[in-house]
Amino acid sequence: MPRPLWTGAISFGLVTIPVKVVSATQDHSIHFRQVHLEDLGRVRTRKVCELDGEALSQDEIGKGYELSKEQTVPITDEELDRIPLPTAKAIEIVAFVDADSVDPIRISDSYYLAIDGQVAAKPYTLLRRALERSDKVAVAKFAWHNRERLGLLRVREGAIVLHSMRWPDEIRSPESLAPRQVELDDDEIDRAVQLTDTMALDSIAGFRDAYRDALEELIAAKSEGRGIPEPAEGEEPEEGKVVDLMAALNASVEAAKESRGEGGGGEATVHEMRPRKKAASKKAASSGKADTGRKAGASGKTTGRKAGAGKTTAAKRTTGAKRTARKRSAS
């Protein structure tokens, strides 16, 4: 078991459960040291007083609250310890709520709660069973590093988990960040929903940190004197390029199907957006001209009719008829 970070008790009603708090997560990030490039000697950070320039030991460093640039109030650890804090050694459950009612943005760090002695086994199991049967989570208050915090207790694989939570006033409002109202076609929304269905998974347990894997490979190559691995070639998106939203959704759906082995459906490059009338007319006109040119070389009999179909004025139709008549007389 990892080293306990805190010891105390869970309390709800008149029930007390002695517990130890252990970290529920592990940091697998690769950490670097600052080194002198010339000789790879380690560079350490010194804590220096900005007034006299002297390096200080930890015993000479305390806490202070800056009221203004000219005035700082010193606060000692003893003074902080004397502040009345009812939850100093207790995780006090204050309410039970539905899990869906808690906004995930408020959840911070996570910890496992382990029993502290066999005497805690029965009340610990009682709380766990109550949470499981009620399908609820417990909201609690507890103290951590001289701060009262809000917590959330839930069950995970037979253990009670404590999630540290942010207070309501610590969450910024996203109101100013929301985009202005835009128009979306129902077909686009339906296609986006289809994409979410195609990309749906039962579990995210298979995801890995690809950057960490590549970083480990780089460190291993340099330590063994091998060549540095070449980065995988990827297609860089063009900046500022306007994307056809429906075509992009269609392509994304087909790519997701192929990645899951479902095969393509042939709609990746053909979308169902209704083109503007002007664009459709131009496209039809250019298509008509091209067809006319090709069929004129193959058969002189239908050239006049095809050319006339691609024109919009009576004068142009007359011109087309004259050209056809000249070709017939020449033949």
Side-chain angles (χ1 to χ4, degrees):
M1 178 184 294
R3 182 176 60 87
L5 304 175
W6 182 90
T7 59
I10 303 174
S11 66
F12 68 108
L14 300 178
V15 179
T16 300
I17 311 169
V19 293
K20 295 181 289 187
V21 175
V22 297
S23 178
T25 60
Q26 300 181 64
D27 181 11
H28 287 164
S29 301
I30 294 176
H31 300 277
F32 298 101
R33 297 186 186 275
Q34 289 186 320
V35 296
H36 184 195
L37 292 177
E38 184 175 343
D39 54 16
L40 297 183
R42 185 175 177 184
V43 177
R44 297 182 180 274
T45 302
R46 300 172 61 204
K47 297 183 178 180
V48 178
C49 175
E50 64 178 17
L51 295 180
D52 56 24
E54 294 186 4
L56 305 177
S57 65
Q58 190 60 41
D59 296 338
E60 299 175 285
I61 300 174
K63 297 180 177 68
Y65 182 81
E66 187 178 275
L67 294 175
S68 65
K69 292 296 183 181
E70 294 78 22
Q71 185 179 9
T72 300
V73 178
I75 303 293
T76 66
D77 291 336
E78 292 75 16
E79 290 170 334
L80 292 175
D81 291 339
R82 287 199 297 268
I83 295 178
L85 194 57
T87 56
K89 278 294 182 180
I91 301 172
E92 182 184 352
I93 295 176
V94 294
F96 292 90
V97 299
D98 293 330
D100 294 340
S101 67
V102 179
D103 190 341
I105 198 173
R106 296 187 59 181
I107 296 178
S108 183
D109 299 324
S110 302
Y111 307 92
Y112 288 128
L113 299 181
I115 60 172
D116 192 5
Q118 191 58 31
V119 68
K122 187 171 182 178
Y124 184 99
T125 305
L126 175 66
L127 175 59
R128 187 193 71 195
R129 293 282 181 85
L131 291 173
E132 290 173 336
R133 185 170 297 183
S134 65
D135 289 330
K136 294 186 180 297
V137 293
V139 178
K141 288 184 176 182
F142 67 102
W144 196 281
H145 301 304
N146 294 317
R147 275 190 61 193
E148 187 170 59
R149 300 172 184 264
L150 198 62
L152 188 74
L153 274 64
R154 68 178 184 89
V155 179
R156 183 181 187 273
E157 298 179 5
I160 298 177
V161 183
L162 169 65
H163 297 290
S164 176
M165 295 180 63
R166 297 174 178 87
W167 296 97
D169 61 357
E170 294 179 318
I171 306 299
R172 292 191 177 99
S173 171
E175 183 178 355
S176 61
L177 306 177
R180 290 176 294 181
Q181 186 174 0
V182 296
E183 294 183 3
L184 283 174
D185 192 276
D186 286 341
D187 292 339
E188 294 172 336
I189 300 175
D190 291 340
R191 201 57 168 162
V193 172
Q194 185 180 356
L195 177 59
T196 62
D197 293 338
T198 306
M199 296 180 64
L201 294 175
D202 294 330
S203 171
I204 60 173
F207 289 107
R208 287 182 56 84
D209 185 349
Y211 178 80
R212 179 173 174 266
D213 292 341
L215 190 55
E216 287 180 340
E217 186 179 354
L218 171 63
I219 294 172
K222 296 199 71 173
S223 64
E224 297 169 6
R226 295 186 281 109
I228 298 177
E230 292 294 331
E233 294 184 1
E235 184 178 349
E236 293 292 333
E238 297 182 23
E239 295 184 3
K241 184 177 180 179
V242 178
V243 179
D244 186 328
L245 184 57
M246 180 59 82
L249 287 170
N250 286 333
S252 300
V253 169
E254 296 304 321
K257 287 181 178 179
E258 290 179 6
S259 67
R260 297 167 69 103
E262 298 178 10
E267 294 184 84
T269 57
V270 180
H271 59 85
E272 301 174 357
M273 289 182 67
R274 297 183 180 88
R276 295 186 180 92
K277 292 183 178 179
K278 292 183 179 179
S281 300
K282 290 180 180 179
K283 186 174 181 181
S286 61
S287 176
K289 291 178 182 178
D291 290 342
T292 302
R294 286 195 297 270
K295 293 187 178 181
S299 173
K301 296 181 180 180
T302 58
T303 304
R305 287 195 301 271
K306 295 291 183 179
K311 309 302 180 178
T312 56
T313 63
K316 290 184 179 180
R317 283 200 300 270
T318 304
T319 302
K322 290 179 179 179
R323 290 178 181 172
T324 304
R326 284 198 297 269
K327 287 184 180 180
R328 289 177 177 173
S329 60
S331 59

